């Protein structure tokens, strides 16, 4: 889609009114979101009342059709009283039928063409940054995306009013953080080892706890759906539409179907999922789960059979010790100290690069590529390296916590994703991971999250690169089967490599031996941070839950980011560092 080619000239008075309305919206809204760090761990509670206010003006007497449509769009920033001001721009029947919660179109410019496209129909062209759907899922759109919207108007008692409008609201990108609040729902990997985050956007108004639970019961976002499970059966719903919070307790009352007869272990998992979803609201200290207002007995953990006891990690964190290469040998790096790895064979003749290590493995095992990036090896103490894959243009290995090493290869301009078992007890020991959307695309970087349910990728589509996250589909034993439909993540820098830095945070960059390159920290809710550029950037090492970021350049092997500057330690010679994962 392309930028619109036509523009509309506002009269000075009318332009002033539009600008004033937007300025009042922005100035009345105090910042409520952190600019850095994981989202969803300490969100303020909106159940106590609105944390923002808007000053959307109602329609003025004898307003033109153009003014009515513009006023209606601007009033979409005010959800108070079920968008009462926006409904004033509509005829009574249209106001009753309009569904503002269907979606929100987030647009990037404060002026929009509004012109007749037919008898009593006005057309609006918006430059669209993203769409937030009725479940709170925010989809970022490619740059220069536009959307065309039609509004039908009639004169009612001499005043123009909208008789037909698209369901949903429209919101300037600069006000999203005031009107909506990012929040994290949680689902589970099929083996119930990890809680998998699912970032959503909910209106920041009283009743946000109800919206969170309703969203949780609807199920995961499309990109996660094939990769995760929920404690709640399909079709589970609230028996009462609200989730009231009183004296720190959120009362979640569910309909009986599929819930009342749940096994004890299933009920415990439901409670755990609700605790995770609502626990970040500061007003909630406890979640009381009932079925049609009757208490649902939740078993005490010690009363469950050992195989049913929950041991779910909601915030996986990798070890701080990294793996790297010195003079053709694999070494470990613990902060400023370089350590040898005992009993490893000599691999210098393979010209090793791109080493990797899992965070959760029963024995010492590493992966690396040869100097041509055409051979993948597994390496263990006291035995020769195992050649486990030969393909062209292999990406840096990523070792998950389920016994698998992941790489992507490229041949003929098309990517293939491979998973090779480093856990030698697994059968089969190798799988090609299918995804129909990889056709005619290549992968420059592939990383599996610690929860094992999400893959982050830099995709190259005929020279245009983008950052994507897709669900990892596994069988009941954890063996990789496929990748779900990907979700695009917004970035602002050149892309080649990606690493996970937290449950909802990624770090991206492109390497260059001659040019300064800028790395960027990206969150799945859109809170990005650009870090200082580095001349001759070759590699960056970040890990989930680890605060320290290391970078390697042509001239300086070892440096770390301190506040807003890179600090070099020229006495450390290790290169090609990688945190576990």
């Amino acid at each position: 889609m392309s930028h619109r080619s036509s523009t509309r000239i506002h009269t000075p008075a009318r332009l002033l009114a539009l600008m004033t309305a937007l300025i009042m919206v922005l100035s009345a809204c105090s910042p409520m979101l952190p600019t850095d760090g994981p989202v969803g761990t300490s969100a303020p509670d909106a159940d106590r009342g609105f944390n923002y206010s808007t000053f959307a003006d109602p329609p003025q007497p004898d307003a033109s059709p153009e003014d009515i449509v513009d006023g209606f769009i601007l009033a979409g920033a005010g959800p108070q009283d079920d968008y009462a001001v926006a409904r004033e721009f509509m005829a009574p029947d249209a106001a009753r039928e309009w569904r503002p919660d269907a979606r929100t179109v987030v647009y990037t410019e404060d002026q929009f063409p509004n012109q007749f496209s037919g008898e009593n129909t006005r057309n609006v062209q918006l430059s669209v940054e993203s769409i937030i759907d009725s479940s709170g899922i925010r989809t970022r759109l490619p740059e220069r995306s536009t959307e065309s919207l039609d509004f039908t108007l009639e004169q009612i008692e001499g005043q123009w009013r909208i008789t037909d409008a698209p369901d949903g609201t429209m919101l300037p990108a600069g006000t999203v953080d005031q009107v909506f609040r990012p929040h994290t729902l949680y689902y589970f990997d099929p083996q119930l080892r990890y809680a998998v985050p699912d970032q959503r956007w909910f209106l920041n108004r009283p009743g946000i706890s109800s919206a969170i639970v309703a969203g949780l019961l609807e199920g995961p976002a499309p990109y996660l759906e094939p990769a995760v499970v929920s404690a709640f059966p399909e079709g589970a719903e609230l028996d009462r539409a609200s989730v009231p919070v009183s004296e720190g307790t959120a009362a979640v009352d569910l309909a009986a179907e599929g819930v009342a007869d749940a096994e004890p272990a299933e009920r415990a998992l439901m409670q755990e999922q609700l605790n995770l979803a609502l626990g970040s609201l500061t007003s909630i200290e406890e979640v009381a789960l009932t079925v049609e207002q009757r208490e649902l007995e939740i078993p005490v953990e010690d009363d469950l059979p050992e195989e049913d006891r929950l041991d779910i990690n909601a915030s996986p964190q990798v070890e701080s010790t990294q793996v790297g290469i010195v003079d053709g040998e694999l070494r470990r790096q613990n902060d400023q100290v370089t350590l040898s790895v005992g009993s490893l064979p000599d691999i210098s003749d393979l010209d090793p690069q791109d080493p990797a290590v899992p965070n959760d493995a029963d024995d010492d095992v590493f992966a690396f590529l040869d100097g041509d990036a055409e051979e993948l090896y597994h390496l263990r103490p006291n035995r020769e390296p195992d050649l486990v894959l030969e393909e062209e243009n292999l990406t840096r290995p990523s070792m998950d916590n389920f016994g698998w090493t992941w790489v992507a290869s490229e041949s003929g301009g098309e990517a293939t994703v491979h998973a090779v078992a480093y856990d030698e007890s697994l059968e089969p020991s190798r799988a090609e991971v299918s995804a129909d959307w990889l056709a005619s695309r290549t992968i420059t970087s592939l990383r599996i999250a610690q929860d094992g349910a999400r893959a982050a990728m830099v995709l190259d589509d005929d020279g245009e690169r983008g950052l994507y996250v897709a669900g990892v589909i596994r069988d009941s034993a954890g063996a990789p089967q496929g990748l779900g439909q990907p979700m695009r993540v917004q970035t602002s820098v050149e892309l080649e490599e990606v690493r996970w830095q937290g449950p909802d945070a990624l770090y991206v960059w492109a390497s260059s031996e001659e040019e300064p390159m800028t790395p960027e920290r990206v969150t799945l809710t859109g809170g990005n941070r650009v870090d200082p550029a580095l001349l001759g950037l070759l590699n960056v090492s970040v890990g989930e839950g680890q605060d320290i970021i290391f970078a390697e350049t042509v001239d300086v092997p070892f440096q770390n980011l301190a506040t807003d500057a890179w600090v070099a330690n020229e006495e450390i010679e290790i290169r090609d560092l990688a945190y576990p994962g």
Side-chain angles (χ1 to χ4, degrees):
M1 305 177 80
S2 61
H3 275 313
R4 61 178 187 267
S5 57
S6 60
T7 58
R8 175 166 57 89
I9 299 176
H10 296 275
T11 63
R14 198 163 167 283
L15 180 58
L16 179 61
L18 284 172
M19 293 178 65
T20 301
L22 281 169
I23 291 170
M24 293 177 76
V25 168
L26 292 169
S27 63
C29 304
S30 59
M32 297 178 293
L33 292 178
T35 58
D36 193 10
V39 176
T41 57
S42 58
D45 173 29
D47 286 301
R48 298 175 181 172
F50 288 103
N51 290 319
Y52 66 93
S53 59
T54 63
F55 295 90
D57 290 327
Q60 300 302 303
D62 301 322
S64 69
E66 187 179 24
D67 291 334
I68 291 296
V69 171
D70 280 357
F72 173 79
I73 291 174
L74 292 174
Q80 295 94 328
D81 299 325
D82 195 20
Y83 294 89
V85 174
R87 294 182 195 273
E88 291 185 39
F89 291 86
M90 311 180 82
D93 287 347
R96 284 190 294 269
E97 295 173 1
W98 177 59
R99 292 183 53 241
D101 59 349
R103 65 171 189 160
T104 296
V105 178
V106 181
Y107 60 88
T108 57
E109 298 181 15
D110 60 3
Q111 295 183 16
F112 22 85
N114 169 352
Q115 55 193 1
F116 278 113
S117 59
E119 186 176 0
N120 292 349
T121 299
R122 297 201 72 86
N123 176 263
V124 173
Q125 295 282 332
L126 293 178
S127 296
V128 182
E129 181 256 8
S130 60
I131 304 288
I132 303 174
D133 71 10
S134 60
S135 299
I137 299 169
R138 187 174 185 179
T139 302
R140 309 276 177 169
L141 301 184
E143 291 184 13
R144 300 181 295 279
S145 294
T146 64
E147 183 156 339
S148 176
L149 303 170
D150 286 328
F151 298 82
T152 303
L153 299 94
E154 292 181 6
Q155 281 193 316
I156 299 175
E157 297 181 357
Q159 301 296 315
W160 286 104
R161 291 294 182 266
I162 296 170
T163 57
D164 186 35
D167 285 332
T169 59
M170 289 136 277
L171 193 65
T175 65
V176 171
D177 288 351
Q178 285 76 45
V179 179
F180 283 84
R181 173 159 300 284
H183 192 87
T184 304
L185 308 182
Y186 289 90
Y187 297 90
F188 304 110
D189 77 275
Q191 293 185 319
L192 303 182
R193 292 173 56 184
Y194 297 95
V196 183
D198 183 353
Q199 286 75 20
R200 305 292 182 90
W201 291 77
F202 296 107
L203 280 172
N204 186 34
R205 62 178 178 179
I208 191 173
S209 56
S210 307
I212 289 169
V213 175
L216 184 71
L217 296 178
E218 286 179 8
Y223 84 98
L224 276 180
E225 185 174 6
V228 296
V229 297
S230 175
F232 298 93
E234 186 176 354
E237 59 184 11
L238 287 165
D239 192 53
R240 294 183 297 170
S242 65
V243 176
V245 180
S246 177
E247 297 182 352
T249 299
V252 178
D253 188 41
L254 300 175
E257 186 175 356
V259 176
D261 57 354
E263 295 294 326
E266 294 172 327
R267 298 198 299 270
L269 198 61
M270 291 177 190
Q271 183 75 54
E272 176 76 2
Q273 196 169 359
L274 286 169
N275 290 344
L276 289 169
L278 293 171
S280 63
L281 294 179
T282 57
S283 66
I284 296 178
E285 300 173 0
E286 184 179 1
V287 179
L289 182 57
T290 59
V291 174
E292 295 180 351
Q293 301 190 37
R294 296 189 302 274
E295 182 180 358
L296 185 67
E297 184 179 351
I298 307 299
V300 177
E301 187 79 6
D302 291 344
D303 293 339
L304 288 169
E306 186 172 350
E307 64 270 16
D308 290 336
R309 294 178 186 176
L310 301 180
D311 186 19
I312 295 172
N313 189 344
S315 299
Q317 177 173 315
V318 301
E319 297 291 334
S320 60
T321 301
Q322 305 176 78
V323 62
I325 294 176
V326 178
D327 296 330
E329 294 183 359
L330 265 60
R331 301 284 184 89
R332 292 188 183 273
Q333 186 71 26
N334 189 348
D335 193 16
Q336 308 289 310
V337 180
T338 304
L339 305 170
S340 298
V341 183
S343 304
L344 288 183
D346 182 3
I347 57 172
S348 58
D349 60 329
L350 297 174
D351 189 19
Q353 63 172 327
D354 297 336
V357 62
N359 192 59
D360 185 11
D362 292 334
D363 57 2
D364 281 340
V365 57
F366 305 87
F368 67 90
L369 302 182
D370 73 322
D372 296 323
E374 294 181 348
E375 298 175 346
L376 170 67
Y377 289 88
H378 284 158
L379 185 67
R380 292 174 170 82
N382 299 309
R383 58 190 270 188
E384 291 302 305
D386 297 310
L387 175 60
V388 293
L389 183 69
E390 290 185 85
E391 295 287 347
E392 297 180 358
N393 302 309
L394 293 173
T395 59
R396 186 180 196 120
S398 179
M399 304 180 79
D400 69 21
N401 293 328
F402 294 79
W404 298 88
T405 300
W406 295 69
V407 292
S409 64
E410 182 264 320
S411 179
E414 192 160 311
T416 302
V417 176
H418 310 269
V420 182
Y422 67 79
D423 181 341
E424 295 179 305
S425 69
L426 296 177
E427 289 291 343
S429 61
R430 179 172 164 181
E432 286 194 0
V433 181
S434 61
D436 55 6
W437 44 266
L438 282 175
S440 302
R441 289 173 160 177
T442 60
I443 297 176
T444 66
S445 184
L446 168 68
R447 307 301 294 178
I448 306 300
Q450 286 294 296
D451 56 48
R454 297 172 297 161
M457 293 159 287
V458 176
L459 294 183
D460 189 306
D461 189 351
D462 195 24
E464 181 178 344
R465 291 183 178 178
L467 175 63
Y468 294 84
V469 176
V472 176
I473 304 169
R474 299 177 187 262
D475 65 17
S476 59
Q481 300 290 298
L483 297 174
Q485 289 297 316
M487 173 187 70
R488 184 161 187 164
V489 182
Q490 188 179 43
T491 60
S492 64
V493 301
E494 291 188 55
L495 297 177
E496 183 179 1
E497 293 286 336
V498 60
R499 304 287 185 269
W500 288 96
Q501 195 183 14
D504 80 323
L506 298 162
Y507 206 81
V508 296
W509 73 95
S511 60
S512 172
E513 294 187 4
E514 299 177 352
E515 300 293 328
M517 303 304 291
T518 304
E520 182 177 25
R521 183 184 190 273
V522 180
T523 68
L524 299 185
T525 49
N528 297 6
R529 182 196 73 211
V530 173
D531 284 334
L534 286 159
L535 180 64
L537 178 61
L538 299 179
N539 180 48
V540 178
S541 181
V542 298
E544 283 191 58
Q546 294 295 329
D547 294 329
I548 303 178
I549 302 172
F550 295 91
E552 172 190 353
T553 63
V554 172
D555 296 327
V556 183
F558 189 89
Q559 50 196 306
N560 64 277
L561 185 63
T563 311
D564 57 355
W566 294 97
V567 178
N569 187 330
E570 298 184 3
E571 296 181 0
I572 297 176
E573 299 180 352
I574 194 166
R575 287 189 176 271
D576 223 351
L577 281 174
Y579 279 101

